[in-house]
mmCIF file with all atom_site columns, all heavy atoms in Angstrom:
data_model
loop_
_atom_site.group_PDB
_atom_site.id
_atom_site.type_symbol
_atom_site.label_atom_id
_atom_site.label_alt_id
_atom_site.label_comp_id
_atom_site.label_asym_id
_atom_site.label_entity_id
_atom_site.label_seq_id
_atom_site.pdbx_PDB_ins_code
_atom_site.Cartn_x
_atom_site.Cartn_y
_atom_site.Cartn_z
_atom_site.occupancy
_atom_site.B_iso_or_equiv
_atom_site.pdbx_formal_charge
_atom_site.auth_seq_id
_atom_site.auth_comp_id
_atom_site.auth_asym_id
_atom_site.auth_atom_id
_atom_site.pdbx_PDB_model_num
ATOM 1   N N   . ARG A 1 1  ? -54.625 -71.616 -85.022  1.00 95.00 ? 1  ARG A N   1
ATOM 2   C CA  . ARG A 1 1  ? -55.430 -71.413 -86.229  1.00 95.00 ? 1  ARG A CA  1
ATOM 3   C C   . ARG A 1 1  ? -56.701 -72.251 -86.199  1.00 95.00 ? 1  ARG A C   1
ATOM 4   O O   . ARG A 1 1  ? -57.757 -71.801 -86.655  1.00 95.00 ? 1  ARG A O   1
ATOM 5   C CB  . ARG A 1 1  ? -54.606 -71.711 -87.479  1.00 95.00 ? 1  ARG A CB  1
ATOM 6   C CG  . ARG A 1 1  ? -53.604 -70.605 -87.793  1.00 95.00 ? 1  ARG A CG  1
ATOM 7   C CD  . ARG A 1 1  ? -53.007 -70.720 -89.165  1.00 95.00 ? 1  ARG A CD  1
ATOM 8   N NE  . ARG A 1 1  ? -52.082 -71.816 -89.312  1.00 95.00 ? 1  ARG A NE  1
ATOM 9   C CZ  . ARG A 1 1  ? -50.775 -71.741 -89.026  1.00 95.00 ? 1  ARG A CZ  1
ATOM 10  N NH1 . ARG A 1 1  ? -50.250 -70.615 -88.582  1.00 95.00 ? 1  ARG A NH1 1
ATOM 11  N NH2 . ARG A 1 1  ? -49.997 -72.785 -89.208  1.00 95.00 ? 1  ARG A NH2 1
ATOM 12  N N   . LYS A 1 2  ? -56.630 -73.447 -85.640  1.00 96.00 ? 2  LYS A N   1
ATOM 13  C CA  . LYS A 1 2  ? -57.848 -74.270 -85.497  1.00 96.00 ? 2  LYS A CA  1
ATOM 14  C C   . LYS A 1 2  ? -58.854 -73.570 -84.591  1.00 96.00 ? 2  LYS A C   1
ATOM 15  O O   . LYS A 1 2  ? -60.051 -73.559 -84.868  1.00 96.00 ? 2  LYS A O   1
ATOM 16  C CB  . LYS A 1 2  ? -57.505 -75.649 -84.939  1.00 96.00 ? 2  LYS A CB  1
ATOM 17  C CG  . LYS A 1 2  ? -56.815 -76.552 -85.921  1.00 96.00 ? 2  LYS A CG  1
ATOM 18  C CD  . LYS A 1 2  ? -56.503 -77.885 -85.266  1.00 96.00 ? 2  LYS A CD  1
ATOM 19  C CE  . LYS A 1 2  ? -55.726 -78.808 -86.165  1.00 96.00 ? 2  LYS A CE  1
ATOM 20  N NZ  . LYS A 1 2  ? -55.408 -80.085 -85.492  1.00 96.00 ? 2  LYS A NZ  1
ATOM 21  N N   . GLY A 1 3  ? -58.370 -72.997 -83.511  1.00 95.00 ? 3  GLY A N   1
ATOM 22  C CA  . GLY A 1 3  ? -59.244 -72.257 -82.604  1.00 95.00 ? 3  GLY A CA  1
ATOM 23  C C   . GLY A 1 3  ? -59.863 -71.049 -83.290  1.00 95.00 ? 3  GLY A C   1
ATOM 24  O O   . GLY A 1 3  ? -61.044 -70.748 -83.101  1.00 95.00 ? 3  GLY A O   1
ATOM 25  N N   . HIS A 1 4  ? -59.070 -70.363 -84.075  1.00 95.00 ? 4  HIS A N   1
ATOM 26  C CA  . HIS A 1 4  ? -59.590 -69.202 -84.819  1.00 95.00 ? 4  HIS A CA  1
ATOM 27  C C   . HIS A 1 4  ? -60.665 -69.654 -85.802  1.00 95.00 ? 4  HIS A C   1
ATOM 28  O O   . HIS A 1 4  ? -61.685 -68.970 -85.959  1.00 95.00 ? 4  HIS A O   1
ATOM 29  C CB  . HIS A 1 4  ? -58.461 -68.487 -85.556  1.00 95.00 ? 4  HIS A CB  1
ATOM 30  C CG  . HIS A 1 4  ? -58.964 -67.360 -86.393  1.00 95.00 ? 4  HIS A CG  1
ATOM 31  N ND1 . HIS A 1 4  ? -59.287 -66.124 -85.873  1.00 95.00 ? 4  HIS A ND1 1
ATOM 32  C CD2 . HIS A 1 4  ? -59.230 -67.285 -87.719  1.00 95.00 ? 4  HIS A CD2 1
ATOM 33  C CE1 . HIS A 1 4  ? -59.725 -65.343 -86.841  1.00 95.00 ? 4  HIS A CE1 1
ATOM 34  N NE2 . HIS A 1 4  ? -59.693 -66.028 -87.973  1.00 95.00 ? 4  HIS A NE2 1
ATOM 35  N N   . ALA A 1 5  ? -60.471 -70.779 -86.451  1.00 96.00 ? 5  ALA A N   1
ATOM 36  C CA  . ALA A 1 5  ? -61.464 -71.279 -87.411  1.00 96.00 ? 5  ALA A CA  1
ATOM 37  C C   . ALA A 1 5  ? -62.799 -71.537 -86.712  1.00 96.00 ? 5  ALA A C   1
ATOM 38  O O   . ALA A 1 5  ? -63.860 -71.176 -87.234  1.00 96.00 ? 5  ALA A O   1
ATOM 39  C CB  . ALA A 1 5  ? -60.949 -72.547 -88.093  1.00 96.00 ? 5  ALA A CB  1
ATOM 40  N N   . ARG A 1 6  ? -62.746 -72.139 -85.539  1.00 96.00 ? 6  ARG A N   1
ATOM 41  C CA  . ARG A 1 6  ? -63.985 -72.394 -84.790  1.00 96.00 ? 6  ARG A CA  1
ATOM 42  C C   . ARG A 1 6  ? -64.653 -71.086 -84.365  1.00 96.00 ? 6  ARG A C   1
ATOM 43  O O   . ARG A 1 6  ? -65.873 -70.936 -84.465  1.00 96.00 ? 6  ARG A O   1
ATOM 44  C CB  . ARG A 1 6  ? -63.706 -73.280 -83.583  1.00 96.00 ? 6  ARG A CB  1
ATOM 45  C CG  . ARG A 1 6  ? -63.341 -74.724 -83.957  1.00 96.00 ? 6  ARG A CG  1
ATOM 46  C CD  . ARG A 1 6  ? -63.224 -75.613 -82.741  1.00 96.00 ? 6  ARG A CD  1
ATOM 47  N NE  . ARG A 1 6  ? -62.147 -75.226 -81.848  1.00 96.00 ? 6  ARG A NE  1
ATOM 48  C CZ  . ARG A 1 6  ? -60.885 -75.634 -81.935  1.00 96.00 ? 6  ARG A CZ  1
ATOM 49  N NH1 . ARG A 1 6  ? -60.539 -76.466 -82.916  1.00 96.00 ? 6  ARG A NH1 1
ATOM 50  N NH2 . ARG A 1 6  ? -59.979 -75.237 -81.076  1.00 96.00 ? 6  ARG A NH2 1
ATOM 51  N N   . GLU A 1 7  ? -63.854 -70.131 -83.916  1.00 95.00 ? 7  GLU A N   1
ATOM 52  C CA  . GLU A 1 7  ? -64.381 -68.839 -83.487  1.00 95.00 ? 7  GLU A CA  1
ATOM 53  C C   . GLU A 1 7  ? -64.980 -68.071 -84.667  1.00 95.00 ? 7  GLU A C   1
ATOM 54  O O   . GLU A 1 7  ? -66.028 -67.434 -84.556  1.00 95.00 ? 7  GLU A O   1
ATOM 55  C CB  . GLU A 1 7  ? -63.286 -68.008 -82.823  1.00 95.00 ? 7  GLU A CB  1
ATOM 56  C CG  . GLU A 1 7  ? -63.761 -66.692 -82.284  1.00 95.00 ? 7  GLU A CG  1
ATOM 57  C CD  . GLU A 1 7  ? -64.864 -66.819 -81.251  1.00 95.00 ? 7  GLU A CD  1
ATOM 58  O OE1 . GLU A 1 7  ? -64.858 -67.776 -80.455  1.00 95.00 ? 7  GLU A OE1 1
ATOM 59  O OE2 . GLU A 1 7  ? -65.761 -65.943 -81.246  1.00 95.00 ? 7  GLU A OE2 1
ATOM 60  N N   . ARG A 1 8  ? -64.330 -68.149 -85.798  1.00 95.00 ? 8  ARG A N   1
ATOM 61  C CA  . ARG A 1 8  ? -64.822 -67.491 -87.010  1.00 95.00 ? 8  ARG A CA  1
ATOM 62  C C   . ARG A 1 8  ? -66.174 -68.064 -87.419  1.00 95.00 ? 8  ARG A C   1
ATOM 63  O O   . ARG A 1 8  ? -67.094 -67.329 -87.770  1.00 95.00 ? 8  ARG A O   1
ATOM 64  C CB  . ARG A 1 8  ? -63.788 -67.688 -88.123  1.00 95.00 ? 8  ARG A CB  1
ATOM 65  C CG  . ARG A 1 8  ? -64.075 -66.941 -89.377  1.00 95.00 ? 8  ARG A CG  1
ATOM 66  C CD  . ARG A 1 8  ? -62.902 -67.026 -90.309  1.00 95.00 ? 8  ARG A CD  1
ATOM 67  N NE  . ARG A 1 8  ? -62.915 -68.272 -91.042  1.00 95.00 ? 8  ARG A NE  1
ATOM 68  C CZ  . ARG A 1 8  ? -62.568 -68.386 -92.312  1.00 95.00 ? 8  ARG A CZ  1
ATOM 69  N NH1 . ARG A 1 8  ? -62.131 -67.348 -92.979  1.00 95.00 ? 8  ARG A NH1 1
ATOM 70  N NH2 . ARG A 1 8  ? -62.616 -69.539 -92.920  1.00 95.00 ? 8  ARG A NH2 1
ATOM 71  N N   . LEU A 1 9  ? -66.320 -69.384 -87.320  1.00 96.00 ? 9  LEU A N   1
ATOM 72  C CA  . LEU A 1 9  ? -67.591 -70.023 -87.651  1.00 96.00 ? 9  LEU A CA  1
ATOM 73  C C   . LEU A 1 9  ? -68.684 -69.589 -86.674  1.00 96.00 ? 9  LEU A C   1
ATOM 74  O O   . LEU A 1 9  ? -69.804 -69.274 -87.091  1.00 96.00 ? 9  LEU A O   1
ATOM 75  C CB  . LEU A 1 9  ? -67.433 -71.543 -87.671  1.00 96.00 ? 9  LEU A CB  1
ATOM 76  C CG  . LEU A 1 9  ? -68.672 -72.350 -88.058  1.00 96.00 ? 9  LEU A CG  1
ATOM 77  C CD1 . LEU A 1 9  ? -69.198 -71.936 -89.423  1.00 96.00 ? 9  LEU A CD1 1
ATOM 78  C CD2 . LEU A 1 9  ? -68.356 -73.836 -88.021  1.00 96.00 ? 9  LEU A CD2 1
ATOM 79  N N   . ARG A 1 10 ? -68.382 -69.557 -85.388  1.00 95.00 ? 10 ARG A N   1
ATOM 80  C CA  . ARG A 1 10 ? -69.363 -69.092 -84.401  1.00 95.00 ? 10 ARG A CA  1
ATOM 81  C C   . ARG A 1 10 ? -69.784 -67.653 -84.684  1.00 95.00 ? 10 ARG A C   1
ATOM 82  O O   . ARG A 1 10 ? -70.968 -67.309 -84.602  1.00 95.00 ? 10 ARG A O   1
ATOM 83  C CB  . ARG A 1 10 ? -68.789 -69.188 -82.986  1.00 95.00 ? 10 ARG A CB  1
ATOM 84  C CG  . ARG A 1 10 ? -68.896 -70.552 -82.364  1.00 95.00 ? 10 ARG A CG  1
ATOM 85  C CD  . ARG A 1 10 ? -68.573 -70.525 -80.879  1.00 95.00 ? 10 ARG A CD  1
ATOM 86  N NE  . ARG A 1 10 ? -67.183 -70.189 -80.606  1.00 95.00 ? 10 ARG A NE  1
ATOM 87  C CZ  . ARG A 1 10 ? -66.182 -71.063 -80.564  1.00 95.00 ? 10 ARG A CZ  1
ATOM 88  N NH1 . ARG A 1 10 ? -66.420 -72.339 -80.774  1.00 95.00 ? 10 ARG A NH1 1
ATOM 89  N NH2 . ARG A 1 10 ? -64.959 -70.664 -80.309  1.00 95.00 ? 10 ARG A NH2 1
ATOM 90  N N   . ALA A 1 11 ? -68.825 -66.823 -85.025  1.00 95.00 ? 11 ALA A N   1
ATOM 91  C CA  . ALA A 1 11 ? -69.121 -65.408 -85.284  1.00 95.00 ? 11 ALA A CA  1
ATOM 92  C C   . ALA A 1 11 ? -70.047 -65.245 -86.481  1.00 95.00 ? 11 ALA A C   1
ATOM 93  O O   . ALA A 1 11 ? -71.035 -64.505 -86.408  1.00 95.00 ? 11 ALA A O   1
ATOM 94  C CB  . ALA A 1 11 ? -67.830 -64.625 -85.485  1.00 95.00 ? 11 ALA A CB  1
ATOM 95  N N   . VAL A 1 12 ? -69.736 -65.924 -87.572  1.00 96.00 ? 12 VAL A N   1
ATOM 96  C CA  . VAL A 1 12 ? -70.573 -65.754 -88.765  1.00 96.00 ? 12 VAL A CA  1
ATOM 97  C C   . VAL A 1 12 ? -71.958 -66.358 -88.543  1.00 96.00 ? 12 VAL A C   1
ATOM 98  O O   . VAL A 1 12 ? -72.958 -65.824 -89.035  1.00 96.00 ? 12 VAL A O   1
ATOM 99  C CB  . VAL A 1 12 ? -69.886 -66.297 -90.036  1.00 96.00 ? 12 VAL A CB  1
ATOM 100 C CG1 . VAL A 1 12 ? -69.886 -67.804 -90.092  1.00 96.00 ? 12 VAL A CG1 1
ATOM 101 C CG2 . VAL A 1 12 ? -70.525 -65.706 -91.281  1.00 96.00 ? 12 VAL A CG2 1
ATOM 102 N N   . ARG A 1 13 ? -72.051 -67.413 -87.767  1.00 96.00 ? 13 ARG A N   1
ATOM 103 C CA  . ARG A 1 13 ? -73.367 -67.995 -87.473  1.00 96.00 ? 13 ARG A CA  1
ATOM 104 C C   . ARG A 1 13 ? -74.213 -67.089 -86.574  1.00 96.00 ? 13 ARG A C   1
ATOM 105 O O   . ARG A 1 13 ? -75.422 -67.276 -86.505  1.00 96.00 ? 13 ARG A O   1
ATOM 106 C CB  . ARG A 1 13 ? -73.200 -69.370 -86.825  1.00 96.00 ? 13 ARG A CB  1
ATOM 107 C CG  . ARG A 1 13 ? -72.836 -70.440 -87.825  1.00 96.00 ? 13 ARG A CG  1
ATOM 108 C CD  . ARG A 1 13 ? -72.735 -71.779 -87.171  1.00 96.00 ? 13 ARG A CD  1
ATOM 109 N NE  . ARG A 1 13 ? -72.555 -72.846 -88.140  1.00 96.00 ? 13 ARG A NE  1
ATOM 110 C CZ  . ARG A 1 13 ? -72.107 -74.041 -87.844  1.00 96.00 ? 13 ARG A CZ  1
ATOM 111 N NH1 . ARG A 1 13 ? -71.801 -74.357 -86.590  1.00 96.00 ? 13 ARG A NH1 1
ATOM 112 N NH2 . ARG A 1 13 ? -71.974 -74.957 -88.785  1.00 96.00 ? 13 ARG A NH2 1
ATOM 113 N N   . SER A 1 14 ? -73.589 -66.131 -85.913  1.00 95.00 ? 14 SER A N   1
ATOM 114 C CA  . SER A 1 14 ? -74.350 -65.200 -85.067  1.00 95.00 ? 14 SER A CA  1
ATOM 115 C C   . SER A 1 14 ? -75.055 -64.124 -85.894  1.00 95.00 ? 14 SER A C   1
ATOM 116 O O   . SER A 1 14 ? -75.846 -63.348 -85.361  1.00 95.00 ? 14 SER A O   1
ATOM 117 C CB  . SER A 1 14 ? -73.423 -64.537 -84.042  1.00 95.00 ? 14 SER A CB  1
ATOM 118 O OG  . SER A 1 14 ? -72.651 -63.509 -84.632  1.00 95.00 ? 14 SER A OG  1
ATOM 119 N N   . ILE A 1 15 ? -74.788 -64.093 -87.177  1.00 96.00 ? 15 ILE A N   1
ATOM 120 C CA  . ILE A 1 15 ? -75.378 -63.100 -88.074  1.00 96.00 ? 15 ILE A CA  1
ATOM 121 C C   . ILE A 1 15 ? -76.685 -63.649 -88.638  1.00 96.00 ? 15 ILE A C   1
ATOM 122 O O   . ILE A 1 15 ? -76.736 -64.793 -89.089  1.00 96.00 ? 15 ILE A O   1
ATOM 123 C CB  . ILE A 1 15 ? -74.412 -62.780 -89.244  1.00 96.00 ? 15 ILE A CB  1
ATOM 124 C CG1 . ILE A 1 15 ? -73.065 -62.290 -88.733  1.00 96.00 ? 15 ILE A CG1 1
ATOM 125 C CG2 . ILE A 1 15 ? -75.036 -61.811 -90.236  1.00 96.00 ? 15 ILE A CG2 1
ATOM 126 C CD1 . ILE A 1 15 ? -73.097 -60.982 -87.997  1.00 96.00 ? 15 ILE A CD1 1
ATOM 127 N N   . GLY A 1 16 ? -77.721 -62.827 -88.629  1.00 94.00 ? 16 GLY A N   1
ATOM 128 C CA  . GLY A 1 16 ? -78.989 -63.205 -89.253  1.00 94.00 ? 16 GLY A CA  1
ATOM 129 C C   . GLY A 1 16 ? -78.924 -62.949 -90.751  1.00 94.00 ? 16 GLY A C   1
ATOM 130 O O   . GLY A 1 16 ? -78.989 -61.791 -91.175  1.00 94.00 ? 16 GLY A O   1
ATOM 131 N N   . ARG A 1 17 ? -78.754 -64.005 -91.518  1.00 96.00 ? 17 ARG A N   1
ATOM 132 C CA  . ARG A 1 17 ? -78.592 -63.867 -92.976  1.00 96.00 ? 17 ARG A CA  1
ATOM 133 C C   . ARG A 1 17 ? -79.737 -63.074 -93.593  1.00 96.00 ? 17 ARG A C   1
ATOM 134 O O   . ARG A 1 17 ? -79.546 -62.260 -94.481  1.00 96.00 ? 17 ARG A O   1
ATOM 135 C CB  . ARG A 1 17 ? -78.483 -65.240 -93.618  1.00 96.00 ? 17 ARG A CB  1
ATOM 136 C CG  . ARG A 1 17 ? -78.231 -65.185 -95.119  1.00 96.00 ? 17 ARG A CG  1
ATOM 137 C CD  . ARG A 1 17 ? -78.285 -66.592 -95.724  1.00 96.00 ? 17 ARG A CD  1
ATOM 138 N NE  . ARG A 1 17 ? -77.975 -66.577 -97.132  1.00 96.00 ? 17 ARG A NE  1
ATOM 139 C CZ  . ARG A 1 17 ? -78.861 -66.292 -98.082  1.00 96.00 ? 17 ARG A CZ  1
ATOM 140 N NH1 . ARG A 1 17 ? -80.106 -65.975 -97.770  1.00 96.00 ? 17 ARG A NH1 1
ATOM 141 N NH2 . ARG A 1 17 ? -78.487 -66.312 -99.357  1.00 96.00 ? 17 ARG A NH2 1
ATOM 142 N N   . ALA A 1 18 ? -80.958 -63.297 -93.126  1.00 96.00 ? 18 ALA A N   1
ATOM 143 C CA  . ALA A 1 18 ? -82.137 -62.633 -93.687  1.00 96.00 ? 18 ALA A CA  1
ATOM 144 C C   . ALA A 1 18 ? -82.106 -61.120 -93.464  1.00 96.00 ? 18 ALA A C   1
ATOM 145 O O   . ALA A 1 18 ? -82.792 -60.384 -94.162  1.00 96.00 ? 18 ALA A O   1
ATOM 146 C CB  . ALA A 1 18 ? -83.406 -63.221 -93.075  1.00 96.00 ? 18 ALA A CB  1
ATOM 147 N N   . ARG A 1 19 ? -81.304 -60.666 -92.522  1.00 94.00 ? 19 ARG A N   1
ATOM 148 C CA  . ARG A 1 19 ? -81.213 -59.232 -92.237  1.00 94.00 ? 19 ARG A CA  1
ATOM 149 C C   . ARG A 1 19 ? -80.167 -58.530 -93.108  1.00 94.00 ? 19 ARG A C   1
ATOM 150 O O   . ARG A 1 19 ? -79.945 -57.338 -92.961  1.00 94.00 ? 19 ARG A O   1
ATOM 151 C CB  . ARG A 1 19 ? -80.876 -59.019 -90.769  1.00 94.00 ? 19 ARG A CB  1
ATOM 152 C CG  . ARG A 1 19 ? -81.974 -59.456 -89.836  1.00 94.00 ? 19 ARG A CG  1
ATOM 153 C CD  . ARG A 1 19 ? -81.637 -59.094 -88.394  1.00 94.00 ? 19 ARG A CD  1
ATOM 154 N NE  . ARG A 1 19 ? -82.611 -59.659 -87.504  1.00 94.00 ? 19 ARG A NE  1
ATOM 155 C CZ  . ARG A 1 19 ? -82.416 -60.727 -86.752  1.00 94.00 ? 19 ARG A CZ  1
ATOM 156 N NH1 . ARG A 1 19 ? -81.247 -61.336 -86.773  1.00 94.00 ? 19 ARG A NH1 1
ATOM 157 N NH2 . ARG A 1 19 ? -83.358 -61.180 -85.971  1.00 94.00 ? 19 ARG A NH2 1
ATOM 158 N N   . LEU A 1 20 ? -79.529 -59.265 -93.986  1.00 96.00 ? 20 LEU A N   1
ATOM 159 C CA  . LEU A 1 20 ? -78.484 -58.704 -94.842  1.00 96.00 ? 20 LEU A CA  1
ATOM 160 C C   . LEU A 1 20 ? -79.056 -58.337 -96.204  1.00 96.00 ? 20 LEU A C   1
ATOM 161 O O   . LEU A 1 20 ? -80.044 -58.925 -96.657  1.00 96.00 ? 20 LEU A O   1
ATOM 162 C CB  . LEU A 1 20 ? -77.348 -59.717 -95.016  1.00 96.00 ? 20 LEU A CB  1
ATOM 163 C CG  . LEU A 1 20 ? -76.650 -60.181 -93.746  1.00 96.00 ? 20 LEU A CG  1
ATOM 164 C CD1 . LEU A 1 20 ? -75.628 -61.267 -94.086  1.00 96.00 ? 20 LEU A CD1 1
ATOM 165 C CD2 . LEU A 1 20 ? -75.992 -59.029 -93.020  1.00 96.00 ? 20 LEU A CD2 1
ATOM 166 N N   . GLY A 1 21 ? -78.383 -57.412 -96.877  1.00 95.00 ? 21 GLY A N   1
ATOM 167 C CA  . GLY A 1 21 ? -78.749 -57.071 -98.252  1.00 95.00 ? 21 GLY A CA  1
ATOM 168 C C   . GLY A 1 21 ? -78.349 -58.193 -99.200  1.00 95.00 ? 21 GLY A C   1
ATOM 169 O O   . GLY A 1 21 ? -77.662 -59.143 -98.818  1.00 95.00 ? 21 GLY A O   1
ATOM 170 N N   . VAL A 1 22 ? -78.764 -58.073 -100.439 1.00 93.00 ? 22 VAL A N   1
ATOM 171 C CA  . VAL A 1 22 ? -78.528 -59.134 -101.428 1.00 93.00 ? 22 VAL A CA  1
ATOM 172 C C   . VAL A 1 22 ? -77.042 -59.449 -101.584 1.00 93.00 ? 22 VAL A C   1
ATOM 173 O O   . VAL A 1 22 ? -76.636 -60.612 -101.542 1.00 93.00 ? 22 VAL A O   1
ATOM 174 C CB  . VAL A 1 22 ? -79.157 -58.751 -102.788 1.00 93.00 ? 22 VAL A CB  1
ATOM 175 C CG1 . VAL A 1 22 ? -78.808 -59.775 -103.859 1.00 93.00 ? 22 VAL A CG1 1
ATOM 176 C CG2 . VAL A 1 22 ? -80.662 -58.630 -102.653 1.00 93.00 ? 22 VAL A CG2 1
ATOM 177 N N   . ALA A 1 23 ? -76.205 -58.430 -101.782 1.00 90.00 ? 23 ALA A N   1
ATOM 178 C CA  . ALA A 1 23 ? -74.766 -58.663 -101.974 1.00 90.00 ? 23 ALA A CA  1
ATOM 179 C C   . ALA A 1 23 ? -74.152 -59.267 -100.717 1.00 90.00 ? 23 ALA A C   1
ATOM 180 O O   . ALA A 1 23 ? -73.321 -60.175 -100.805 1.00 90.00 ? 23 ALA A O   1
ATOM 181 C CB  . ALA A 1 23 ? -74.050 -57.372 -102.342 1.00 90.00 ? 23 ALA A CB  1
ATOM 182 N N   . ASP A 1 24 ? -74.561 -58.771 -99.553  1.00 95.00 ? 24 ASP A N   1
ATOM 183 C CA  . ASP A 1 24 ? -74.012 -59.318 -98.307  1.00 95.00 ? 24 ASP A CA  1
ATOM 184 C C   . ASP A 1 24 ? -74.446 -60.761 -98.087  1.00 95.00 ? 24 ASP A C   1
ATOM 185 O O   . ASP A 1 24 ? -73.719 -61.539 -97.484  1.00 95.00 ? 24 ASP A O   1
ATOM 186 C CB  . ASP A 1 24 ? -74.416 -58.462 -97.103  1.00 95.00 ? 24 ASP A CB  1
ATOM 187 C CG  . ASP A 1 24 ? -73.547 -57.229 -96.946  1.00 95.00 ? 24 ASP A CG  1
ATOM 188 O OD1 . ASP A 1 24 ? -72.431 -57.200 -97.519  1.00 95.00 ? 24 ASP A OD1 1
ATOM 189 O OD2 . ASP A 1 24 ? -73.971 -56.295 -96.239  1.00 95.00 ? 24 ASP A OD2 1
ATOM 190 N N   . ARG A 1 25 ? -75.620 -61.124 -98.580  1.00 96.00 ? 25 ARG A N   1
ATOM 191 C CA  . ARG A 1 25 ? -76.069 -62.529 -98.446  1.00 96.00 ? 25 ARG A CA  1
ATOM 192 C C   . ARG A 1 25 ? -75.146 -63.457 -99.221  1.00 96.00 ? 25 ARG A C   1
ATOM 193 O O   . ARG A 1 25 ? -74.801 -64.527 -98.735  1.00 96.00 ? 25 ARG A O   1
ATOM 194 C CB  . ARG A 1 25 ? -77.502 -62.684 -98.924  1.00 96.00 ? 25 ARG A CB  1
ATOM 195 C CG  . ARG A 1 25 ? -78.503 -62.111 -97.971  1.00 96.00 ? 25 ARG A CG  1
ATOM 196 C CD  . ARG A 1 25 ? -79.911 -62.322 -98.469  1.00 96.00 ? 25 ARG A CD  1
ATOM 197 N NE  . ARG A 1 25 ? -80.815 -61.492 -97.691  1.00 96.00 ? 25 ARG A NE  1
ATOM 198 C CZ  . ARG A 1 25 ? -82.037 -61.199 -98.053  1.00 96.00 ? 25 ARG A CZ  1
ATOM 199 N NH1 . ARG A 1 25 ? -82.527 -61.680 -99.184  1.00 96.00 ? 25 ARG A NH1 1
ATOM 200 N NH2 . ARG A 1 25 ? -82.779 -60.442 -97.290  1.00 96.00 ? 25 ARG A NH2 1
ATOM 201 N N   . LEU A 1 26 ? -74.770 -63.055 -100.411 1.00 96.00 ? 26 LEU A N   1
ATOM 202 C CA  . LEU A 1 26 ? -73.834 -63.868 -101.190 1.00 96.00 ? 26 LEU A CA  1
ATOM 203 C C   . LEU A 1 26 ? -72.500 -63.960 -100.463 1.00 96.00 ? 26 LEU A C   1
ATOM 204 O O   . LEU A 1 26 ? -71.927 -65.053 -100.322 1.00 96.00 ? 26 LEU A O   1
ATOM 205 C CB  . LEU A 1 26 ? -73.639 -63.287 -102.587 1.00 96.00 ? 26 LEU A CB  1
ATOM 206 C CG  . LEU A 1 26 ? -72.587 -63.982 -103.451 1.00 96.00 ? 26 LEU A CG  1
ATOM 207 C CD1 . LEU A 1 26 ? -72.939 -65.449 -103.658 1.00 96.00 ? 26 LEU A CD1 1
ATOM 208 C CD2 . LEU A 1 26 ? -72.433 -63.257 -104.770 1.00 96.00 ? 26 LEU A CD2 1
ATOM 209 N N   . ASN A 1 27 ? -71.984 -62.837 -99.979  1.00 96.00 ? 27 ASN A N   1
ATOM 210 C CA  . ASN A 1 27 ? -70.727 -62.850 -99.231  1.00 96.00 ? 27 ASN A CA  1
ATOM 211 C C   . ASN A 1 27 ? -70.850 -63.700 -97.971  1.00 96.00 ? 27 ASN A C   1
ATOM 212 O O   . ASN A 1 27 ? -69.923 -64.429 -97.620  1.00 96.00 ? 27 ASN A O   1
ATOM 213 C CB  . ASN A 1 27 ? -70.307 -61.423 -98.874  1.00 96.00 ? 27 ASN A CB  1
ATOM 214 C CG  . ASN A 1 27 ? -69.857 -60.654 -100.084 1.00 96.00 ? 27 ASN A CG  1
ATOM 215 O OD1 . ASN A 1 27 ? -69.328 -61.229 -101.026 1.00 96.00 ? 27 ASN A OD1 1
ATOM 216 N ND2 . ASN A 1 27 ? -70.090 -59.360 -100.071 1.00 96.00 ? 27 ASN A ND2 1
ATOM 217 N N   . TYR A 1 28 ? -71.995 -63.621 -97.301  1.00 97.00 ? 28 TYR A N   1
ATOM 218 C CA  . TYR A 1 28 ? -72.244 -64.441 -96.115  1.00 97.00 ? 28 TYR A CA  1
ATOM 219 C C   . TYR A 1 28 ? -72.162 -65.925 -96.474  1.00 97.00 ? 28 TYR A C   1
ATOM 220 O O   . TYR A 1 28 ? -71.504 -66.704 -95.795  1.00 97.00 ? 28 TYR A O   1
ATOM 221 C CB  . TYR A 1 28 ? -73.622 -64.112 -95.527  1.00 97.00 ? 28 TYR A CB  1
ATOM 222 C CG  . TYR A 1 28 ? -74.017 -64.986 -94.375  1.00 97.00 ? 28 TYR A CG  1
ATOM 223 C CD1 . TYR A 1 28 ? -73.718 -64.625 -93.064  1.00 97.00 ? 28 TYR A CD1 1
ATOM 224 C CD2 . TYR A 1 28 ? -74.682 -66.190 -94.586  1.00 97.00 ? 28 TYR A CD2 1
ATOM 225 C CE1 . TYR A 1 28 ? -74.079 -65.438 -92.002  1.00 97.00 ? 28 TYR A CE1 1
ATOM 226 C CE2 . TYR A 1 28 ? -75.036 -67.006 -93.527  1.00 97.00 ? 28 TYR A CE2 1
ATOM 227 C CZ  . TYR A 1 28 ? -74.737 -66.623 -92.242  1.00 97.00 ? 28 TYR A CZ  1
ATOM 228 O OH  . TYR A 1 28 ? -75.082 -67.449 -91.184  1.00 97.00 ? 28 TYR A OH  1
#
C-alpha cells in the first residue's frame, strides 16, 4: 500500500492541472 501511495502521487503529478476543466481542477 505504501508503494501504491507513491505511485498514485506520481501519476496525479503527471497531469497538467491547467489542462483540466473547472470541476476536474477541484477534484485534482
Side-chain angles (χ1 to χ4, degrees):
R1 285 193 289 273
K2 287 179 184 179
H4 176 80
R6 290 186 296 272
E7 183 59 36
R8 187 171 82 142
L9 182 57
R10 277 191 294 273
V12 74
R13 283 182 173 162
S14 77
I15 303 295
R17 183 186 183 277
R19 293 186 187 104
L20 301 175
V22 175
D24 279 341
R25 286 182 193 163
L26 175 60
N27 289 329
Y28 175 91

